[in-house]
Amino acid sequence: MGTSGADYMQYIVADECTVPEESHDNFSEHLILMPGSMILNDHKQSARYALEKCEDVNRGMYGLSEDVFVFACFNQSYKITPEVFELWCKILNEVEEQGGKSVLWLLRFPPAAEENLRAEAQKLGVDPER
């Protein structure tokens, strides 16, 4: 995380992980440091099920067997560069070539982004369902 440098931005919400103490002086904004993680989500609005207590979570609920390794990235789609996505596909292919099983879980994107990523995965030799 870095400073915006904008004179109209007075504050940035962060934590000690994203902005270590030695970097505080590099910010033009006042830092509001949150304990733990500064990642904010409002699951009450977009994913109410995330608030429900579920004691019996297991891989089978997501169609995964115990021998599948899950790679995951929960960034927005615009942060996934072609070079990074190509590398992820190479890793998925390498795991399969070595006799392993793996999938890549991504944050749900707008349909057009999902279609584009699935098409690109297929071009790179990865089953789009992985």
Side-chain angles (χ1 to χ4, degrees), residues 70-111:
V70 179
F71 295 99
C73 175
F74 301 116
N75 283 318
Q76 297 292 326
S77 60
Y78 71 88
K79 293 183 178 182
I80 301 173
T81 66
E83 296 82 12
V84 167
F85 192 72
E86 183 177 348
L87 180 60
W88 290 345
C89 288
K90 284 181 180 180
I91 292 169
L92 291 170
N93 283 329
E94 183 66 26
V95 169
E96 188 172 49
E97 288 171 14
Q98 298 298 321
K101 298 178 185 176
S102 63
V103 295
L104 174 60
W105 278 8
L106 301 173
L107 187 65
R108 292 303 307 257
F109 301 131

Side-chain angles (χ1 to χ4, degrees), residues 25-43:
D25 291 338
N26 298 331
F27 284 79
S28 59
E29 305 85 358
H30 297 285
L31 294 172
I32 300 173
L33 297 174
M34 303 299 291
S37 175
M38 65 87 180
I39 297 174
L40 308 172
N41 291 300
D42 183 4
H43 295 303

Side-chain angles (χ1 to χ4, degrees), residues 14-20 36:
D15 60 44
E16 287 294 336
C17 183
T18 56
V19 181

